[in-house]
Amino acid sequence: MNCVTCVNCGSQNGETRVSRFCDGWAPCWRWKPGPGLNSFIQLLHQIHGWTRARRTKASVKHHGLVAVDEHAPFKVPPHRLREHAQLDVTQADVLKVDFTALAASMQSGQVRVVGNLPYNISTPILFHLLEHVGVVKDQHFMLQKEVVQRMVAPPGGKDYGRLSVMLQWRYQMEMLFIVPPSAFDPPPKVDSAIVRMRPIASPLACEQARLEQVVMQAFSQRRKVIRNSLSSLFTEQQLIAAGIDPQARPETISLEHYVALTHLH
């Protein structure tokens, strides 16, 4: 299985826990958004035998790095990067990386994605990967806990929103565990969490662009009832026909009902 990796998981304990969820990935290709090698990557090299000493012609394993900022220098000197025979380095804007093309260049045609996503661009990265979900085997990310809570939230609460609907339409979502501030040096002021995302083989049928339009409009005015927030797209009668209470709030409406709205004209 081919893999795309971008992990930097604070403590040895946290790294070991993540590595257990990631077991069985070798042999693979891996790509890491972010500059330089880190301790998590080194740990995977040890666990899965990604070392030059254990490399054999029959089981070559590859790992790549993709820098989030194409202009940012790698933290590890180039001569150290070249010491890893299985390491391929791509310094580019991760939001411009064509993961479908990367997968097409690999034998299996699929990638597995692991990453510590920066808070300021985590949502753009997630939506960029959504465009390439057809070539993704699974994804494991560390993000701020509040972001993961929004990703996995069911309908009915304040965490449920555009991110929840769009991701849950294409992925089975699961929060695996919390990573406390004490796992980092220096410790941040917030908790982090690990999320697992497995693409759904047969998602509910709809056009992604249309679903995104409906969901974005609904949650742009989440304090309003759905009849008002979607008044520019649907009539009250259309909402009722889709099984939606016109007086309901956007955060109480299920993914299935949002998908049903995309089929209305």
Side-chain angles (χ1 to χ4, degrees):
M1 180 56 61
N2 300 304
C3 309
V4 176
T5 65
C6 46
V7 185
N8 182 7
C9 194
S11 70
Q12 179 70 23
N13 180 56
E15 292 164 357
T16 303
R17 293 179 69 184
V18 174
S19 71
R20 288 203 299 267
F21 289 109
C22 303
D23 194 22
W25 287 1
C28 61
W29 273 86
R30 303 186 185 271
W31 299 82
K32 175 194 174 295
L37 292 172
N38 52 54
S39 56
F40 186 85
I41 299 302
Q42 299 283 17
L43 181 66
L44 290 181
H45 271 262
Q46 296 171 17
I47 293 175
H48 298 301
W50 299 357
T51 61
R52 180 175 296 176
R54 292 184 58 185
R55 175 181 175 182
T56 67
K57 190 173 182 180
S59 60
V60 176
K61 308 171 182 69
H62 293 278
H63 174 262
L65 292 90
V66 178
V68 172
D69 183 352
E70 61 184 326
H71 302 295
F74 284 99
K75 295 179 180 179
V76 179
H79 72 273
R80 282 195 55 196
L81 295 177
R82 287 194 294 269
E83 291 175 358
H84 295 268
Q86 300 93 335
L87 186 64
D88 291 278
V89 180
T90 301
Q91 190 168 14
D93 182 346
V94 69
L95 297 179
K96 297 178 182 178
V97 173
D98 188 341
F99 288 98
T100 300
L102 284 178
S105 68
M106 303 171 187
Q107 186 174 2
S108 73
Q110 283 190 309
V111 295
R112 305 184 79 170
V113 189
V114 184
N116 175 8
L117 302 187
Y119 177 78
N120 61 324
I121 62 167
S122 59
T123 297
I125 290 176
L126 290 169
F127 275 91
H128 177 62
L129 284 167
L130 186 60
E131 298 292 331
H132 302 277
V133 67
V135 299
V136 173
K137 175 67 175 179
D138 56 26
Q139 299 174 175
H140 293 75
F141 294 127
M142 181 169 70
L143 306 97
Q144 287 192 12
K145 184 177 73 172
E146 65 181 51
V147 177
V148 175
Q149 289 172 329
R150 288 164 48 207
M151 294 167 66
V152 304
K158 63 181 179 62
D159 291 327
Y160 184 74
R162 170 176 172 252
L163 192 63
S164 318
V165 175
M166 293 305 301
L167 295 182
Q168 292 175 32
W169 168 57
R170 289 301 277 116
Y171 300 94
Q172 294 177 340
M173 308 289 298
E174 180 184 3
M175 181 189 289
L176 297 180
F177 59 88
I178 305 300
V179 182
S182 59
F184 301 88
D185 184 19
K189 297 181 180 180
V190 297
D191 286 329
S192 299
I194 305 294
V195 63
R196 172 184 288 156
M197 306 170 64
R198 290 182 170 141
I200 297 172
S202 299
L204 296 173
C206 71
E207 293 183 4
Q208 180 175 330
R210 180 61 169 166
L211 179 61
E212 187 152 6
Q213 178 192 26
V214 171
V215 173
M216 184 177 295
Q217 180 65 28
F219 286 99
S220 66
Q221 305 178 76
R222 62 184 300 147
R223 290 190 177 184
K224 293 186 177 182
V225 297
I226 198 70
R227 178 188 60 192
N228 295 335
S229 61
L230 291 182
S231 61
S232 63
L233 297 177
F234 307 106
T235 66
E236 182 171 338
Q237 290 70 31
Q238 286 178 309
L239 294 176
I240 294 173
I244 297 173
D245 179 359
Q247 297 298 317
R249 302 282 181 181
E251 65 270 18
T252 66
I253 297 173
S254 69
L255 164 64
E256 291 76 12
H257 282 120
Y258 278 115
V259 170
L261 287 175
T262 68
H263 298 291
L264 299 180
H265 298 286

